Amino acid sequence: MIGRLNHVAIVVPDLEAASATYRATLGANVSAAVDLPEHGVTTVFVELPNTKIELLHPLGEGSPIAKFLSQNASGGIHHICYEVDDILAARDKLKAEGLRVLGDGEPKIGAHGKPVLFLHPKDLFGTLVELEQA
Amino acid sequence: MIGRLNHVAIVVPDLEAASATYRATLGANVSAAVDLPEHGVTTVFVELPNTKIELLHPLGEGSPIAKFLSQNASGGIHHICYEVDDILAARDKLKAEGLRVLGDGEPKIGAHGKPVLFLHPKDLFGTLVELEQA
């Protein structure tokens, strides 16, 4: 069911510093910062040949990653995202097998304009997993 | 400098359960478990179309991931691995820019039989990064 690893999301305390490190020190192709107010994050994409890293920083009040950053002041890996062909079929299969879908269980339009869901990390060995309909 | 994302490593408290979940529930291709006593881990590879997930569990006394598991009893993402063409050139550039290389700074032969180094997570926004000469 799961397909490509769409991205690894890393929350960082300073997006400019992280962008500069990935660009100048690690030598990667790094996008400009993009505010996504409807998601409560500012994001920078690090393009790798086979996938991407998303550097995230809280945006505005009530950002969904504010608590993570307060608990991980240096930053840290926040989630990984797997692609699926059909997010509703994936959701129904996973729920039938006992995995918990976060929120109300309905896919939302994610940062890439595609339907996404998040799965409870306690059901996947401490890993917060996003599913994105590719 | 950094190339492909070689893998995401996830430490899990129960390798059989995690293998079963990735195989049967998430529908991925999952390898048999492989003991790597010289690395103090048992590993299972989850093959995705563009990269892989490595499920890790401590093996033997003094495993380098035992402390992580004791601090993250449910498991969690342990590190990510970027490929580089020339690990010594990468190391020297990164050290010159102030990044700390773990251990004695000399590449070791990693779990895939290739030279690897680890970079200090405090220098990379809370993310433990492995470099592997591809």
Side-chain angles (χ1 to χ4, degrees):
Chain A
M1 181 177 62
I2 58 171
R4 297 176 71 258
L5 180 76
N6 185 275
H7 63 268
V8 176
I10 301 175
V11 172
V12 299
D14 182 334
L15 207 47
E16 280 190 35
S19 295
T21 295
Y22 267 85
R23 181 185 293 114
T25 306
L26 295 178
N29 288 325
V30 175
S31 78
V34 178
D35 287 343
L36 298 171
E38 70 279 26
H39 294 285
V41 298
T42 302
T43 184
V44 164
F45 298 95
V46 179
E47 296 289 344
L48 302 179
N50 60 330
T51 188
K52 57 186 178 291
I53 307 295
E54 294 191 9
L55 305 175
L56 302 177
H57 189 76
L59 175 67
E61 298 297 313
S63 168
I65 60 171
K67 184 180 174 194
F68 180 90
L69 187 57
S70 73
Q71 292 174 337
N72 300 271
S74 301
I77 300 173
H78 184 261
H79 68 265
I80 55 179
C81 176
Y82 298 126
E83 296 179 0
V84 295
D85 288 333
D86 181 334
I87 201 161
L88 293 176
R91 175 197 64 183
D92 293 345
K93 176 182 192 302
L94 296 173
K95 282 179 73 173
E97 304 219 12
L99 273 70
R100 287 166 286 180
V101 176
L102 299 187
D104 65 5
E106 295 305 313
K108 302 287 183 292
I109 299 302
H112 311 130
K114 296 179 176 178
V116 302
L117 286 173
F118 284 89
L119 303 173
H120 199 302
K122 292 215 171 170
D123 297 335
L124 287 169
F125 322 106
T127 305
L128 179 60
V129 169
E130 181 180 18
L131 298 180
E132 178 175 302
Q133 186 165 295
Chain B
M1 180 177 63
I2 59 171
R4 296 176 71 257
L5 180 75
N6 186 275
H7 63 269
V8 176
I10 300 175
V11 172
V12 299
D14 181 334
L15 206 47
E16 280 190 34
S19 295
T21 295
Y22 266 85
R23 181 186 293 115
T25 305
L26 296 178
N29 289 324
V30 176
S31 78
V34 178
D35 288 341
L36 298 171
E38 70 278 25
H39 294 285
V41 298
T42 303
T43 184
V44 164
F45 299 94
V46 178
E47 295 291 343
L48 302 178
N50 60 331
T51 187
K52 57 185 180 289
I53 306 294
E54 293 191 10
L55 305 175
L56 302 178
H57 189 76
L59 175 67
E61 298 297 313
S63 168
I65 59 171
K67 184 180 173 193
F68 180 89
L69 187 57
S70 74
Q71 292 174 337
N72 300 271
S74 303
I77 299 173
H78 184 261
H79 68 267
I80 54 179
C81 176
Y82 299 126
E83 297 179 359
V84 295
D85 288 334
D86 181 333
I87 200 160
L88 294 176
R91 175 196 67 183
D92 292 346
K93 176 182 192 300
L94 296 173
K95 283 179 71 173
E97 304 219 12
L99 274 68
R100 287 165 285 180
V101 176
L102 299 187
D104 65 5
E106 294 305 315
K108 301 289 184 292
I109 299 302
H112 311 131
K114 295 177 177 178
V116 302
L117 285 173
F118 284 88
L119 303 174
H120 200 301
K122 293 214 169 168
D123 297 334
L124 287 169
F125 321 105
T127 305
L128 179 60
V129 169
E130 182 180 16
L131 298 180
E132 178 175 303
Q133 184 165 296

